[in-house]
Structure formats: C-alpha cells, structure tokens
Amino acid sequence: MEQPSSPPQDTRPGLIGGVVELAKNSFGLLMSRIELAALELAEVRTHLLQLVALFALGTIVAFFAIGYWTVLIAYLSWPILGWKILLILAIVCTVIAAGILFYIQSLIRQGRLSMPATMQELRNDHDALL
C-alpha cells in the first residue's frame, strides 16, 4: 500500500509568513532594547542616588566649615573689635546671600533654565501631529 505523498513543502515563507517573522523579530528587538534601557536606567538611578547623598553630605560639611570659621574669626577678633565683629560678619554674610540671590534671578531672567531647544521641538511635534 502506497501512501499518498504530500506536496513538497516550500522552504520560503509566503508573504504572511514573512510579515509574521518580521513582526516577531521586531518585537524581540524592541524587547531587548527596552531591557537594555531598563538596566541602564537602574544603573543611572543608583549613581544619581549616590550623587544626591554625596551632595547632601557635602552641603552639611560645608555648613559646618562655614560655621566653625565664623566662630574662629569672631573668637580671635573679639578682644580687638568686641561686638562689632558680629556686625561685620552679619553684613558680609548678608552681602554674599544677596549676591547669590541676584545671580539666581539673572539666570532665570536669561532663560538658561528653560530648555528652549527642547521646548521648540516639542511645539513642532505638537503642531505636526495636530
């Protein structure tokens, strides 16, 4: 008894098969890119947390250093100037704080914190989509 032979299988996929394979490969590529981005973002997050912790620690140490230097200057100058050294230190600190405040205001007025190129591209994308 002879078995009916099946038609030979075509080794080339058809149009639908090709599209399905392309979709599978594209999905796999997209998933690998997402996994890579997730790994890199986790690493960046770890480094960012370390940076924030070091910045906070540095700020605290800087405040202590400023405080100790101020006390040392006041202590060493007290026999000569008396209470006037406290006034001088207060004026110096106030002038420095005002200078920093004015510098921050000038940065804001100049628009250096507004990311103009990114905002323009987002406006262009919005206009193109609508």
Side-chain angles (χ1 to χ4, degrees):
M1 302 236 175
E2 246 180 66
Q3 296 230 358
S5 63
S6 61
Q9 294 290 331
D10 192 4
T11 57
R12 296 181 311 166
L15 178 63
I16 301 297
V19 170
V20 168
E21 287 298 317
L22 179 65
K24 283 182 187 178
N25 291 337
S26 297
F27 182 72
L29 181 65
L30 177 67
M31 291 305 295
S32 68
R33 295 296 187 255
I34 290 173
E35 289 171 355
L36 178 63
L39 288 173
E40 287 182 339
L41 283 174
E43 186 175 322
V44 167
R45 183 185 64 188
T46 302
H47 292 304
L48 183 63
L49 288 175
Q50 287 175 346
L51 183 65
V52 167
L54 287 174
F55 179 76
L57 182 63
T59 302
I60 291 169
V61 169
F63 281 139
F64 274 108
I66 290 169
Y68 284 127
W69 280 108
T70 303
V71 168
L72 179 66
I73 291 170
Y75 178 75
L76 293 176
S77 300
W78 192 267
I80 298 168
L81 297 174
W83 63 271
K84 293 176 214 126
I85 188 63
L86 297 177
L87 178 64
I88 292 169
L89 288 174
I91 290 171
V92 168
C93 290
T94 303
V95 168
I96 291 172
I100 292 171
L101 178 66
F102 290 136
Y103 179 70
I104 291 171
Q105 285 179 347
S106 71
L107 285 178
I108 292 172
R109 280 192 206 119
Q110 292 172 1
R112 291 190 182 182
L113 304 176
S114 64
M115 301 184 309
T118 302
M119 295 306 292
Q120 183 61 38
E121 287 300 319
L122 288 173
R123 276 189 221 100
N124 291 343
D125 293 344
H126 179 264
D127 294 341
L129 291 173
L130 296 179

